[in-house]
Amino acid sequence: MPSLSEETRGAVTRLMPGATIGIVGGGQLGRMMALSAKYMGFRVGVLDPTPDCPTAQVGDFQIVAAYDDKTAIRELAAKSDVLTYEFENVDADALDEVRGSGEGQCAVPQGTDLLRVTQNRIAEKSFINDHGIATAPWRAVNSRADLQAALDEIGYPAVLKTCEGGYDGHGQIVLRSAADLERVWADDGFPPAILEGFVDFAFEASILVSGDGERYVTFPIVRNVHRNNILHMTIAPAEVPDEVAARAHELARTLADGFKLAGTLAIELFVTRDGRVLVNELAPRPHNSGHYTIEACSIDQFDAHIRGIAGWPLPQPKLLSPAVMVNVLGQHVAPTRALIGGHPEWNVHDYGKAQVKQDRKMGHITVLTDDTAACVDALESTGCWDDLR
């Protein structure tokens, strides 16, 4: 196994080409991480339960096992110089067991504090608020009585979210009136949860920040459009006043410094009608809303992630062109493929997933443009995404 350089940068030991990066999780984010890593000269291994998963198709080797299989994680660590992860639902205890420089161990530059905070909504909201950054009003709830007390304080409408495990709208119940309480769990099955008040936002946004454990760089703030609780489209950059953009960049760097971030962190935001910037959620890795960076920026979110965990210096990203990114879900695969020949402006990304399913993220399309509004209209006018109207 190639040895790590003795030279350090911040909290991360610098990794040299020829070393191996192990990725826990083999979906599309891991695939794009792996492609970046390969361009930089690294070897890539992946742990995923699905044989020939998207990441394995572009990596060097795969360990086929469940994400929480500690024996498999130890095997991946023994074959790697650095471990990273492509999603939050990773066993942090298992990663702690393999962190180090002894036999069968390797570096985990992101650490596990970031992972644990983002795995639990109470920990996440508390971390954000403790760093002086605003969120929607929220309260921890563990029973129907707790819920009622929280509703008395926060009011309707609100959303009840499980503390752990939710994504793309899963584990969430929207409460618009007392009638919706019928859908809430009984006390004997009530999971740890939070109640979060609705925010009268102008639009949803996000910002990416990447670091090497000591120095941090930010990407542009972008506007996001969700349909059915799944990201549909990202418009880069978001058209916001300079002070709104400055606040987004400031809070991104504050959170990155709080974590001593190595790699890429995505921060989902609400921009309110009166110009406030609130943090909605954190993702401790590259993010769907950052895919536009592959074509539109001087360095993309995956390159930044790999450079950060490898201890390489990070340049400040530059937006080279405005862009629109649109997701291709399972039901959009056939109609978009049928139109590829007529759209040379489409940068098509297919994730190599074997099974096409309704609402499953199968790929994305990015278009570089000088007129994002006209580009959005042109994409929607194709009819490929009519099911989401």
mmCIF file of all heavy atoms in Angstrom, residues 289-323:
data_model
loop_
_atom_site.group_PDB
_atom_site.id
_atom_site.type_symbol
_atom_site.label_atom_id
_atom_site.label_comp_id
_atom_site.label_asym_id
_atom_site.label_seq_id
_atom_site.Cartn_x
_atom_site.Cartn_y
_atom_site.Cartn_z
ATOM 1 N N SER A 289 -27.669 19.176 -5.614
ATOM 2 C CA SER A 289 -27.758 20.553 -6.105
ATOM 3 C C SER A 289 -26.413 21.105 -6.547
ATOM 4 O O SER A 289 -26.346 22.211 -7.094
ATOM 5 C CB SER A 289 -28.359 21.456 -5.021
ATOM 6 O OG SER A 289 -27.476 21.583 -3.912
ATOM 7 N N GLY A 290 -25.332 20.351 -6.337
ATOM 8 C CA GLY A 290 -24.012 20.793 -6.767
ATOM 9 C C GLY A 290 -23.527 20.161 -8.051
ATOM 10 O O GLY A 290 -22.387 20.398 -8.476
ATOM 11 N N HIS A 291 -24.381 19.370 -8.704
ATOM 12 C CA HIS A 291 -23.935 18.688 -9.928
ATOM 13 C C HIS A 291 -23.597 19.666 -11.056
ATOM 14 O O HIS A 291 -22.768 19.361 -11.924
ATOM 15 C CB HIS A 291 -25.001 17.702 -10.409
ATOM 16 C CG HIS A 291 -25.196 16.523 -9.507
ATOM 17 N ND1 HIS A 291 -24.298 16.170 -8.539
ATOM 18 C CD2 HIS A 291 -26.210 15.602 -9.446
ATOM 19 C CE1 HIS A 291 -24.736 15.095 -7.903
ATOM 20 N NE2 HIS A 291 -25.887 14.739 -8.425
ATOM 21 N N TYR A 292 -24.226 20.835 -11.042
ATOM 22 C CA TYR A 292 -23.947 21.831 -12.076
ATOM 23 C C TYR A 292 -22.472 22.217 -12.105
ATOM 24 O O TYR A 292 -21.947 22.671 -13.129
ATOM 25 C CB TYR A 292 -24.800 23.089 -11.831
ATOM 26 C CG TYR A 292 -24.259 23.955 -10.718
ATOM 27 C CD1 TYR A 292 -23.417 25.029 -10.987
ATOM 28 C CD2 TYR A 292 -24.547 23.677 -9.378
ATOM 29 C CE1 TYR A 292 -22.882 25.788 -9.969
ATOM 30 C CE2 TYR A 292 -24.019 24.429 -8.355
ATOM 31 C CZ TYR A 292 -23.189 25.489 -8.654
ATOM 32 O OH TYR A 292 -22.647 26.232 -7.636
ATOM 33 N N THR A 293 -21.775 22.040 -10.955
ATOM 34 C CA THR A 293 -20.373 22.485 -10.866
ATOM 35 C C THR A 293 -19.459 21.716 -11.809
ATOM 36 O O THR A 293 -18.376 22.205 -12.148
ATOM 37 C CB THR A 293 -19.843 22.345 -9.424
ATOM 38 O OG1 THR A 293 -19.872 20.966 -9.018
ATOM 39 C CG2 THR A 293 -20.673 23.179 -8.449
ATOM 40 N N ILE A 294 -19.869 20.524 -12.236
ATOM 41 C CA ILE A 294 -19.011 19.718 -13.116
ATOM 42 C C ILE A 294 -18.702 20.474 -14.403
ATOM 43 O O ILE A 294 -17.554 20.507 -14.860
ATOM 44 C CB ILE A 294 -19.669 18.357 -13.423
ATOM 45 C CG1 ILE A 294 -19.825 17.546 -12.126
ATOM 46 C CG2 ILE A 294 -18.859 17.575 -14.448
ATOM 47 C CD1 ILE A 294 -20.638 16.268 -12.297
ATOM 48 N N GLU A 295 -19.706 21.092 -14.997
ATOM 49 C CA GLU A 295 -19.491 21.850 -16.234
ATOM 50 C C GLU A 295 -19.311 23.345 -15.993
ATOM 51 O O GLU A 295 -18.633 24.024 -16.770
ATOM 52 C CB GLU A 295 -20.667 21.669 -17.210
ATOM 53 C CG GLU A 295 -20.696 20.350 -17.950
ATOM 54 C CD GLU A 295 -21.323 19.212 -17.148
ATOM 55 O OE1 GLU A 295 -22.083 19.509 -16.193
ATOM 56 O OE2 GLU A 295 -21.049 18.041 -17.469
ATOM 57 N N ALA A 296 -19.937 23.878 -14.940
ATOM 58 C CA ALA A 296 -20.066 25.333 -14.815
ATOM 59 C C ALA A 296 -18.994 26.010 -13.982
ATOM 60 O O ALA A 296 -18.893 27.231 -14.006
ATOM 61 C CB ALA A 296 -21.448 25.686 -14.253
ATOM 62 N N CYS A 297 -18.196 25.249 -13.239
ATOM 63 C CA CYS A 297 -17.226 25.860 -12.330
ATOM 64 C C CYS A 297 -15.794 25.464 -12.670
ATOM 65 O O CYS A 297 -15.546 24.441 -13.312
ATOM 66 C CB CYS A 297 -17.534 25.471 -10.885
ATOM 67 S SG CYS A 297 -19.051 26.229 -10.249
ATOM 68 N N SER A 298 -14.861 26.272 -12.182
ATOM 69 C CA SER A 298 -13.446 26.015 -12.425
ATOM 70 C C SER A 298 -12.964 24.760 -11.710
ATOM 71 O O SER A 298 -11.967 24.147 -12.110
ATOM 72 C CB SER A 298 -12.617 27.219 -11.973
ATOM 73 O OG SER A 298 -12.865 27.496 -10.591
ATOM 74 N N ILE A 299 -13.614 24.388 -10.630
ATOM 75 C CA ILE A 299 -13.379 23.130 -9.927
ATOM 76 C C ILE A 299 -14.745 22.641 -9.465
ATOM 77 O O ILE A 299 -15.563 23.437 -9.001
ATOM 78 C CB ILE A 299 -12.409 23.299 -8.739
ATOM 79 C CG1 ILE A 299 -12.220 21.967 -7.992
ATOM 80 C CG2 ILE A 299 -12.861 24.398 -7.799
ATOM 81 C CD1 ILE A 299 -11.154 22.026 -6.901
ATOM 82 N N ASP A 300 -15.024 21.351 -9.627
ATOM 83 C CA ASP A 300 -16.363 20.893 -9.248
ATOM 84 C C ASP A 300 -16.374 20.356 -7.826
ATOM 85 O O ASP A 300 -15.336 20.189 -7.184
ATOM 86 C CB ASP A 300 -16.906 19.874 -10.257
ATOM 87 C CG ASP A 300 -16.200 18.528 -10.229
ATOM 88 O OD1 ASP A 300 -16.124 17.907 -9.155
ATOM 89 O OD2 ASP A 300 -15.746 18.068 -11.295
ATOM 90 N N GLN A 301 -17.587 20.092 -7.316
ATOM 91 C CA GLN A 301 -17.731 19.687 -5.918
ATOM 92 C C GLN A 301 -17.050 18.355 -5.618
ATOM 93 O O GLN A 301 -16.603 18.132 -4.482
ATOM 94 C CB GLN A 301 -19.211 19.604 -5.543
ATOM 95 C CG GLN A 301 -20.009 18.550 -6.291
ATOM 96 C CD GLN A 301 -21.377 18.321 -5.662
ATOM 97 O OE1 GLN A 301 -21.640 18.674 -4.520
ATOM 98 N NE2 GLN A 301 -22.279 17.700 -6.418
ATOM 99 N N PHE A 302 -16.937 17.484 -6.592
ATOM 100 C CA PHE A 302 -16.304 16.181 -6.375
ATOM 101 C C PHE A 302 -14.782 16.309 -6.351
ATOM 102 O O PHE A 302 -14.111 15.695 -5.514
ATOM 103 C CB PHE A 302 -16.762 15.195 -7.448
ATOM 104 C CG PHE A 302 -18.253 15.000 -7.445
ATOM 105 C CD1 PHE A 302 -19.051 15.649 -8.377
ATOM 106 C CD2 PHE A 302 -18.862 14.196 -6.497
ATOM 107 C CE1 PHE A 302 -20.423 15.488 -8.363
ATOM 108 C CE2 PHE A 302 -20.235 14.030 -6.471
ATOM 109 C CZ PHE A 302 -21.021 14.680 -7.411
ATOM 110 N N ASP A 303 -14.234 17.109 -7.261
ATOM 111 C CA ASP A 303 -12.800 17.388 -7.210
ATOM 112 C C ASP A 303 -12.443 18.024 -5.870
ATOM 113 O O ASP A 303 -11.426 17.686 -5.252
ATOM 114 C CB ASP A 303 -12.395 18.338 -8.335
ATOM 115 C CG ASP A 303 -12.406 17.686 -9.700
ATOM 116 O OD1 ASP A 303 -12.445 16.444 -9.772
ATOM 117 O OD2 ASP A 303 -12.369 18.417 -10.703
ATOM 118 N N ALA A 304 -13.270 18.967 -5.429
ATOM 119 C CA ALA A 304 -13.007 19.651 -4.159
ATOM 120 C C ALA A 304 -13.077 18.674 -2.993
ATOM 121 O O ALA A 304 -12.287 18.754 -2.048
ATOM 122 C CB ALA A 304 -13.994 20.795 -3.968
ATOM 123 N N HIS A 305 -14.020 17.751 -3.053
ATOM 124 C CA HIS A 305 -14.136 16.762 -1.978
ATOM 125 C C HIS A 305 -12.891 15.881 -1.919
ATOM 126 O O HIS A 305 -12.322 15.671 -0.839
ATOM 127 C CB HIS A 305 -15.375 15.897 -2.195
ATOM 128 C CG HIS A 305 -15.587 14.882 -1.125
ATOM 129 N ND1 HIS A 305 -16.083 15.196 0.118
ATOM 130 C CD2 HIS A 305 -15.342 13.536 -1.084
ATOM 131 C CE1 HIS A 305 -16.141 14.107 0.870
ATOM 132 N NE2 HIS A 305 -15.697 13.090 0.160
ATOM 133 N N ILE A 306 -12.475 15.369 -3.060
ATOM 134 C CA ILE A 306 -11.303 14.494 -3.081
ATOM 135 C C ILE A 306 -10.051 15.262 -2.669
ATOM 136 O O ILE A 306 -9.236 14.771 -1.876
ATOM 137 C CB ILE A 306 -11.127 13.857 -4.476
ATOM 138 C CG1 ILE A 306 -12.330 12.952 -4.826
ATOM 139 C CG2 ILE A 306 -9.818 13.068 -4.540
ATOM 140 C CD1 ILE A 306 -12.546 11.788 -3.865
ATOM 141 N N ARG A 307 -9.871 16.470 -3.176
ATOM 142 C CA ARG A 307 -8.712 17.268 -2.791
ATOM 143 C C ARG A 307 -8.723 17.525 -1.282
ATOM 144 O O ARG A 307 -7.686 17.471 -0.615
ATOM 145 C CB ARG A 307 -8.690 18.600 -3.552
ATOM 146 C CG ARG A 307 -8.413 18.449 -5.048
ATOM 147 C CD ARG A 307 -8.433 19.808 -5.734
ATOM 148 N NE ARG A 307 -7.238 20.575 -5.404
ATOM 149 C CZ ARG A 307 -6.154 20.637 -6.183
ATOM 150 N NH1 ARG A 307 -6.114 19.967 -7.331
ATOM 151 N NH2 ARG A 307 -5.124 21.364 -5.816
ATOM 152 N N GLY A 308 -9.913 17.789 -0.731
ATOM 153 C CA GLY A 308 -10.010 18.078 0.693
ATOM 154 C C GLY A 308 -9.640 16.900 1.570
ATOM 155 O O GLY A 308 -8.895 17.047 2.544
ATOM 156 N N ILE A 309 -10.139 15.707 1.225
ATOM 157 C CA ILE A 309 -9.837 14.539 2.060
ATOM 158 C C ILE A 309 -8.426 14.018 1.809
ATOM 159 O O ILE A 309 -7.868 13.289 2.638
ATOM 160 C CB ILE A 309 -10.866 13.402 1.871
ATOM 161 C CG1 ILE A 309 -10.822 12.823 0.459
ATOM 162 C CG2 ILE A 309 -12.271 13.866 2.247
ATOM 163 C CD1 ILE A 309 -11.650 11.552 0.290
ATOM 164 N N ALA A 310 -7.843 14.408 0.656
ATOM 165 C CA ALA A 310 -6.474 13.991 0.339
ATOM 166 C C ALA A 310 -5.440 15.002 0.832
ATOM 167 O O ALA A 310 -4.238 14.779 0.685
ATOM 168 C CB ALA A 310 -6.314 13.786 -1.162
ATOM 169 N N GLY A 311 -5.923 16.126 1.397
ATOM 170 C CA GLY A 311 -4.997 17.128 1.908
ATOM 171 C C GLY A 311 -4.347 17.973 0.842
ATOM 172 O O GLY A 311 -3.306 18.586 1.078
ATOM 173 N N TRP A 312 -4.944 18.033 -0.337
ATOM 174 C CA TRP A 312 -4.418 18.868 -1.409
ATOM 175 C C TRP A 312 -4.948 20.292 -1.255
ATOM 176 O O TRP A 312 -6.048 20.492 -0.731
ATOM 177 C CB TRP A 312 -4.830 18.319 -2.776
ATOM 178 C CG TRP A 312 -4.155 17.048 -3.172
ATOM 179 C CD1 TRP A 312 -3.573 16.122 -2.348
ATOM 180 C CD2 TRP A 312 -4.007 16.549 -4.497
ATOM 181 N NE1 TRP A 312 -3.064 15.080 -3.085
ATOM 182 C CE2 TRP A 312 -3.314 15.313 -4.411
ATOM 183 C CE3 TRP A 312 -4.380 17.011 -5.746
ATOM 184 C CZ2 TRP A 312 -3.002 14.548 -5.527
ATOM 185 C CZ3 TRP A 312 -4.072 16.252 -6.876
ATOM 186 C CH2 TRP A 312 -3.383 15.041 -6.759
ATOM 187 N N PRO A 313 -4.227 21.299 -1.726
ATOM 188 C CA PRO A 313 -4.709 22.681 -1.614
ATOM 189 C C PRO A 313 -5.962 22.887 -2.449
ATOM 190 O O PRO A 313 -6.120 22.291 -3.523
ATOM 191 C CB PRO A 313 -3.548 23.517 -2.139
ATOM 192 C CG PRO A 313 -2.774 22.583 -3.023
ATOM 193 C CD PRO A 313 -2.906 21.226 -2.401
ATOM 194 N N LEU A 314 -6.839 23.746 -1.948
ATOM 195 C CA LEU A 314 -8.122 23.989 -2.601
ATOM 196 C C LEU A 314 -8.165 25.401 -3.185
ATOM 197 O O LEU A 314 -8.056 26.379 -2.447
ATOM 198 C CB LEU A 314 -9.263 23.827 -1.597
ATOM 199 C CG LEU A 314 -9.665 22.399 -1.253
ATOM 200 C CD1 LEU A 314 -10.487 22.370 0.024
ATOM 201 C CD2 LEU A 314 -10.457 21.791 -2.403
ATOM 202 N N PRO A 315 -8.344 25.529 -4.491
ATOM 203 C CA PRO A 315 -8.522 26.855 -5.077
ATOM 204 C C PRO A 315 -9.958 27.340 -4.846
ATOM 205 O O PRO A 315 -10.877 26.535 -4.695
ATOM 206 C CB PRO A 315 -8.268 26.607 -6.570
ATOM 207 C CG PRO A 315 -8.731 25.190 -6.788
ATOM 208 C CD PRO A 315 -8.392 24.461 -5.507
ATOM 209 N N GLN A 316 -10.135 28.646 -4.802
ATOM 210 C CA GLN A 316 -11.482 29.188 -4.692
ATOM 211 C C GLN A 316 -12.225 28.940 -6.005
ATOM 212 O O GLN A 316 -11.771 29.357 -7.065
ATOM 213 C CB GLN A 316 -11.438 30.689 -4.395
ATOM 214 C CG GLN A 316 -12.806 31.376 -4.419
ATOM 215 C CD GLN A 316 -13.792 30.797 -3.419
ATOM 216 O OE1 GLN A 316 -13.439 30.499 -2.286
ATOM 217 N NE2 GLN A 316 -15.037 30.631 -3.847
ATOM 218 N N PRO A 317 -13.356 28.222 -5.972
ATOM 219 C CA PRO A 317 -14.089 27.950 -7.215
ATOM 220 C C PRO A 317 -14.604 29.234 -7.871
ATOM 221 O O PRO A 317 -15.001 30.181 -7.188
ATOM 222 C CB PRO A 317 -15.262 27.079 -6.736
ATOM 223 C CG PRO A 317 -14.814 26.500 -5.436
ATOM 224 C CD PRO A 317 -13.958 27.555 -4.805
ATOM 225 N N LYS A 318 -14.593 29.224 -9.183
ATOM 226 C CA LYS A 318 -15.147 30.324 -9.970
ATOM 227 C C LYS A 318 -16.290 29.787 -10.825
ATOM 228 O O LYS A 318 -16.164 28.706 -11.424
ATOM 229 C CB LYS A 318 -14.070 30.935 -10.876
ATOM 230 C CG LYS A 318 -12.917 31.584 -10.140
ATOM 231 C CD LYS A 318 -11.883 32.112 -11.127
ATOM 232 C CE LYS A 318 -10.685 32.726 -10.399
ATOM 233 N NZ LYS A 318 -9.658 33.202 -11.366
ATOM 234 N N LEU A 319 -17.371 30.521 -10.897
ATOM 235 C CA LEU A 319 -18.462 30.164 -11.800
ATOM 236 C C LEU A 319 -18.081 30.643 -13.198
ATOM 237 O O LEU A 319 -17.944 31.843 -13.443
ATOM 238 C CB LEU A 319 -19.769 30.817 -11.347
ATOM 239 C CG LEU A 319 -21.010 30.450 -12.166
ATOM 240 C CD1 LEU A 319 -21.381 28.978 -11.953
ATOM 241 C CD2 LEU A 319 -22.194 31.339 -11.796
ATOM 242 N N LEU A 320 -17.883 29.706 -14.112
ATOM 243 C CA LEU A 320 -17.472 30.046 -15.470
ATOM 244 C C LEU A 320 -18.647 30.391 -16.366
ATOM 245 O O LEU A 320 -18.489 31.116 -17.344
ATOM 246 C CB LEU A 320 -16.694 28.864 -16.078
ATOM 247 C CG LEU A 320 -15.470 28.407 -15.283
ATOM 248 C CD1 LEU A 320 -14.833 27.196 -15.965
ATOM 249 C CD2 LEU A 320 -14.468 29.534 -15.109
ATOM 250 N N SER A 321 -19.827 29.849 -16.024
ATOM 251 C CA SER A 321 -21.028 30.119 -16.805
ATOM 252 C C SER A 321 -22.254 29.862 -15.946
ATOM 253 O O SER A 321 -22.254 28.906 -15.163
ATOM 254 C CB SER A 321 -21.084 29.213 -18.038
ATOM 255 O OG SER A 321 -22.358 29.285 -18.671
ATOM 256 N N PRO A 322 -23.299 30.679 -16.071
ATOM 257 C CA PRO A 322 -24.571 30.298 -15.456
ATOM 258 C C PRO A 322 -25.015 28.949 -16.018
ATOM 259 O O PRO A 322 -24.630 28.563 -17.133
ATOM 260 C CB PRO A 322 -25.525 31.424 -15.860
ATOM 261 C CG PRO A 322 -24.631 32.588 -16.170
ATOM 262 C CD PRO A 322 -23.388 31.986 -16.754
ATOM 263 N N ALA A 323 -25.831 28.240 -15.248
ATOM 264 C CA ALA A 323 -26.220 26.893 -15.664
ATOM 265 C C ALA A 323 -27.539 26.505 -15.034
ATOM 266 O O ALA A 323 -27.955 27.063 -14.014
ATOM 267 C CB ALA A 323 -25.140 25.882 -15.268
#
